[in-house]
Amino acid sequence: MLETLETGIEGGHWYSLIDKVYKLANLRRGWERVKAKDGAAGVDQETVRMFARHEEGNLEKLELALRTGTYEPQAVRRQWIEKPGSRQKRPLGIPTLRDRVVQAAVRHVLEPIFERDFAEHSYGFRPNRGCKDALRRVDVLLQQGYTWVVDADLKSYFDTIPHKNLLALVEYKVSDSRVLELIRKFLSQGVLEEGKTWKPEAGTPQGGVISPLLSNIYLDPLDHVVAERGKEMVRYADDFVILCRCEEEAREALGLVQEWTLSAGLQLHPEKTKIVDATRAGGFDFLGYHFERGKKWPRKKSLRKFQDSIRLRTRRQNGNSLAYIITQLNPLLRGWFNYFQHSNRFTFHMLDGWIRMRLRSILRRRQGKRGRGCGDDQKLWSNDFFAEQGLLSLCAARVLALQSLYKANH
């Protein structure tokens, strides 16, 4: 995409971008991205399947509206969803399908422009980068002695980004007034909640296709300020840590972040932002893991979310066959292991035992007995029994993963 934009740059500013946005091939690419997500309908109740029935006609209508300047985004449907491992809820903005297609088209044009200057230590919502890359970088820094950690938490980041400041950062590189106007419309489009519509004065709607890029654009100056001061930062979206060699450096880094967030109209969470010594008890959480004294394991919220999912599938009154229950468990176990396979080995031993206990409790109840499956039940339905039934063992998966790693390195 960047190569096709090179003719539209002058003095470091990109202009004449709107024709790239509304190009049918770009809109079609945006539609493919939205279709693959198969998300919920917006305020107009149009689903992916409904849009797909008249795919070409719908894309041509969007192309015409964008080309003639008559395109207007509709309100965003607000839905409150559960926070993983928490009783709290967070707001999710659901734009209409058409608006998601347009946002994807805008993102395809803008992302290459900003991506090439983003900091190396930024990993969230970027091409060919992800959580595991960020976690590997944290591991490397800890091993190199960067054990004093600024564990930062931006309070309600996505809901508090100042629109004026954000647009100024976009305008620093983009001079196409029609593209800038599109972004303004996305930021100020109404929010439909409980039958009433209101307009946000700050923030980017969580759920918008373009929101991740805009959120990275806004934190990019912080990335470069920290890097210029020689600090080792690892950031994934609004979740970041700064790793230092001593407490003094960590306090200096925290002061730097406090100063920047104040000037940027953001706020650090006073209770969640702290300095920790990763070589002592307490440690810190980052991207689902807990790091402490040279080891790591799933943080409490991640573990609670996982166990809640297991509980839903292993209630004692579950009337399905054991074989069926195991087929429901295995994909969940495999997906969880793929992310948390680098945890301390005792994590897997504990969880394997707990999962088998819940399955024994189901089998015990079917024999008319009460209580948890333990004691003699472990002889009646042994670990080997569950292995023969096809239950994935996290401990066994860990051994296989280590063997594969060893073979790859030798």
Side-chain angles (χ1 to χ4, degrees):
M1 174 64 78
L2 192 60
E3 290 78 6
T4 65
L5 300 176
E6 292 293 353
T7 55
I9 183 171
E10 185 176 292
H13 289 269
W14 299 80
Y15 62 96
S16 189
L17 295 173
I18 189 65
D19 59 318
K20 281 79 174 177
V21 172
Y22 65 65
K23 190 175 181 180
L24 265 176
N26 188 45
L27 287 170
R28 194 171 291 112
R29 182 185 173 196
W31 157 240
E32 291 299 327
R33 181 173 187 160
V34 171
K35 181 170 65 173
K37 294 283 187 180
D38 195 24
V43 295
D44 62 354
Q45 300 301 310
E46 185 175 34
T47 64
V48 168
R49 184 175 296 180
M50 292 164 65
F51 189 97
R53 287 175 190 160
H54 309 285
E55 181 179 314
E56 284 304 309
N58 285 330
L59 293 176
E60 287 172 3
K61 287 178 183 178
L62 284 178
E63 187 269 342
L64 178 63
L66 289 165
R67 178 162 49 83
T68 58
T70 57
Y71 168 78
E72 291 290 336
Q74 294 179 266
V76 171
R77 180 167 66 88
R78 170 159 282 194
Q79 182 175 327
W80 290 86
I81 62 174
E82 300 286 342
K83 277 189 174 183
S86 171
R87 295 180 180 178
Q88 296 179 329
K89 294 185 178 182
R90 67 178 178 89
L92 180 68
I94 305 175
T96 64
L97 204 65
R98 294 163 191 267
D99 289 343
R100 298 207 294 272
V101 172
V102 174
Q103 285 190 25
V106 173
R107 179 173 176 174
H108 290 154
V109 172
L110 294 186
E111 189 169 63
I113 294 173
F114 289 92
E115 174 64 29
R116 65 181 189 175
D117 294 323
F118 279 159
E120 182 65 25
H121 61 247
S122 167
Y123 294 90
F125 309 123
R126 296 183 60 189
N128 304 314
R129 286 169 169 251
C131 290
K132 291 184 179 180
D133 300 303
L135 290 166
R136 275 192 288 268
R137 181 58 182 161
V138 170
D139 279 334
V140 167
L141 289 169
L142 288 171
Q143 290 167 13
Q144 291 177 350
Y146 292 84
T147 56
W148 281 91
V149 182
V150 178
D151 184 7
D153 187 281
L154 289 170
K155 191 174 182 181
S156 303
Y157 171 62
F158 286 93
D159 294 328
T160 59
I161 300 175
H163 288 171
K164 183 179 179 181
N165 295 1
L166 173 58
L167 286 166
L169 286 172
V170 178
E171 289 172 8
Y172 186 75
K173 290 189 176 182
V174 176
S175 296
D176 190 317
S177 60
R178 293 177 66 183
V179 171
L180 292 170
E181 183 58 27
L182 269 179
I183 295 174
R184 288 190 188 94
K185 287 178 177 180
F186 289 141
L187 291 175
S188 61
Q189 65 191 120
V191 177
L192 179 64
E193 184 176 12
E194 296 181 351
K196 297 180 180 179
T197 302
W198 55 275
K199 287 203 170 185
E201 297 180 358
T204 61
Q206 296 187 54
V209 179
I210 201 170
S211 293
L213 174 61
L214 295 177
S215 69
N216 268 337
I217 290 172
Y218 200 68
L219 286 180
D220 187 56
L222 172 63
D223 290 340
H224 290 285
V225 165
V226 172
E228 287 165 6
R229 295 289 185 90
K231 308 299 182 186
E232 294 289 353
M233 181 180 186
V234 182
R235 181 173 71 80
Y236 190 96
D238 61 328
D239 194 1
F240 65 90
V241 289
I242 303 176
L243 296 95
C244 307
R245 289 189 179 277
C246 64
E247 184 176 5
E248 183 181 355
E249 287 183 11
R251 294 198 179 281
E252 181 184 331
L254 178 56
L256 183 64
V257 173
Q258 289 171 330
E259 182 181 340
W260 185 88
T261 52
L262 185 63
S263 67
L266 302 174
Q267 185 180 355
L268 289 170
H269 199 294
E271 296 174 1
K272 296 181 180 179
T273 300
K274 56 187 180 297
I275 292 174
V276 300
D277 179 356
T279 65
R280 298 181 180 179
F284 65 97
D285 294 338
F286 186 60
L287 298 181
Y289 273 93
H290 178 77
F291 294 80
E292 184 179 322
R293 292 177 285 188
K295 298 177 181 178
K296 65 177 182 284
W297 55 83
R299 70 171 186 164
K300 290 181 180 179
K301 285 185 178 180
S302 301
L303 195 58
R304 191 181 308 129
K305 179 187 176 184
F306 175 64
Q307 290 183 302
D308 285 345
S309 298
I310 296 294
R311 287 188 181 97
L312 285 174
R313 294 162 175 80
T314 57
R315 289 173 174 157
R316 292 180 197 177
Q317 63 270 33
N318 191 317
N320 295 307
S321 68
L322 180 62
Y324 180 82
I325 295 172
I326 288 174
T327 62
Q328 296 298 299
L329 285 178
N330 280 345
L332 178 64
L333 297 175
R334 193 171 291 109
W336 186 89
F337 176 79
N338 285 341
Y339 189 78
F340 288 104
Q341 62 181 288
H342 302 292
S343 298
N344 183 288
R345 63 187 179 90
F346 294 108
T347 301
F348 308 117
H349 180 76
M350 177 273 293
L351 285 172
D352 271 347
W354 179 76
I355 292 166
R356 287 191 292 259
M357 178 276 293
R358 293 193 62 82
L359 293 176
R360 289 184 183 111
S361 298
I362 294 173
L363 298 174
R364 180 183 176 85
R365 188 175 191 275
R366 290 176 182 177
Q367 290 189 345
K369 301 176 183 177
R370 296 183 179 181
R372 290 184 171 189
C374 56
D376 291 339
D377 296 328
Q378 295 180 16
K379 297 178 181 179
L380 183 58
W381 302 294
S382 66
N383 295 355
D384 289 340
F385 166 81
F386 288 110
E388 290 167 2
Q389 300 301 310
L391 178 67
L392 176 70
S393 164
L394 297 173
C395 286
R398 178 179 178 272
V399 170
L400 288 174
L402 290 175
Q403 289 174 347
S404 298
L405 182 63
Y406 180 81
K407 289 179 181 178
N409 293 329
H410 291 80

